[in-house]
């Protein structure tokens, strides 16, 4: 740190302290931003293929909405989620539904998508890898990533 002659408490320039603190906070925050490449491979599309949900090309923003086929609140919000998707997809916002219940198989999810008119991509997270990565706790819950 750089001592100053203006009598700042502690003998250090506040600007230097602020800059050093800011860099330290950024380093700490960014060190946690990376995702484990082995983790997302435990997240699946409806064909059963492992996918990395954060590897969406051309999107500026990723919106993941955690839902369940039997959640009345998730189902009640379906029209609003479709409206938001229609409004923001042209602006580079990618919407994906995430089904964290291991008992919900691909066929059940496909029926749910059709019944509620979803055009979103759907992912299965039966081992809660993505749930833990994002901190999602309830359905419905949205998690947003800016790319």
């Amino acid at each position: 740190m750089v001592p100053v002659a203006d009598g700042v408490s502690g003998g250090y320039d506040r600007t230097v302290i602020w800059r050093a603190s800011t860099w330290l906070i950024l380093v700490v925050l960014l060190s946690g931003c990376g995702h484990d490449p082995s983790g997302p491979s435990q997240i699946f599309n409806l064909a059963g293929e492992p996918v990395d949900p954060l590897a969406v090309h051309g999107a500026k923003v990723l919106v993941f909405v955690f839902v369940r086929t039997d959640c009345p609140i998730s189902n009640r919000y379906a029209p609003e989620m479709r409206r938001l998707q229609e409004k923001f997809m042209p602006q580079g916002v990618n919407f994906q539904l995430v089904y964290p219940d291991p008992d919900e198989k691909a066929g059940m999810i496909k029926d749910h998508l059709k019944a509620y008119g979803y055009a979103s991509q759907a992912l299965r997270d039966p081992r809660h890898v993505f749930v833990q990565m994002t901190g999602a706790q309830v359905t419905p819950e949205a998690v947003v990533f800016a790319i």
Side-chain angles (χ1 to χ4, degrees):
M1 301 215 182
V2 179
V4 294
D6 68 358
V8 174
S9 177
Y12 297 102
D13 183 349
R14 291 180 196 194
T15 304
V16 173
I17 293 171
W18 182 84
R19 285 183 184 161
S21 299
T22 302
W23 279 108
L24 178 62
I25 290 168
L26 283 173
V27 168
V28 170
L29 290 175
L30 291 176
S31 66
C33 287
H35 64 281
D36 179 4
S38 65
S41 66
Q42 297 180 32
I43 300 163
F44 306 95
N45 62 21
L46 295 184
E49 303 164 334
V51 296
D52 181 350
L54 301 179
V56 178
H57 302 289
K60 297 176 184 175
V61 176
L62 301 175
V63 177
F64 298 95
V65 182
F66 290 80
V67 297
R68 289 178 49 124
T69 60
D70 62 350
C71 175
I73 299 169
S74 293
N75 293 337
R76 187 172 180 185
Y77 276 101
E80 181 63 13
M81 288 191 283
R82 288 193 320 266
R83 186 189 71 76
L84 291 170
Q85 180 179 5
E86 289 170 10
K87 180 177 181 177
F88 292 105
M89 279 202 65
Q91 299 171 29
V93 180
N94 180 278
F95 288 79
Q96 297 184 55
L97 298 177
V98 180
Y99 292 82
D101 185 347
D103 294 330
E104 292 180 328
K105 304 302 181 207
M108 294 171 63
I109 294 170
K110 288 177 185 176
D111 290 345
H112 184 252
L113 294 171
K114 186 176 180 181
Y116 288 92
Y118 283 117
S120 308
Q121 180 182 359
L123 303 173
R124 292 186 63 241
D125 185 20
R127 297 186 189 124
H128 291 188
V129 172
F130 203 48
V131 166
Q132 291 173 3
M133 183 178 145
T134 61
Q137 297 180 5
V138 298
T139 61
E141 183 169 353
V143 177
V144 180
F145 290 90
I147 299 179

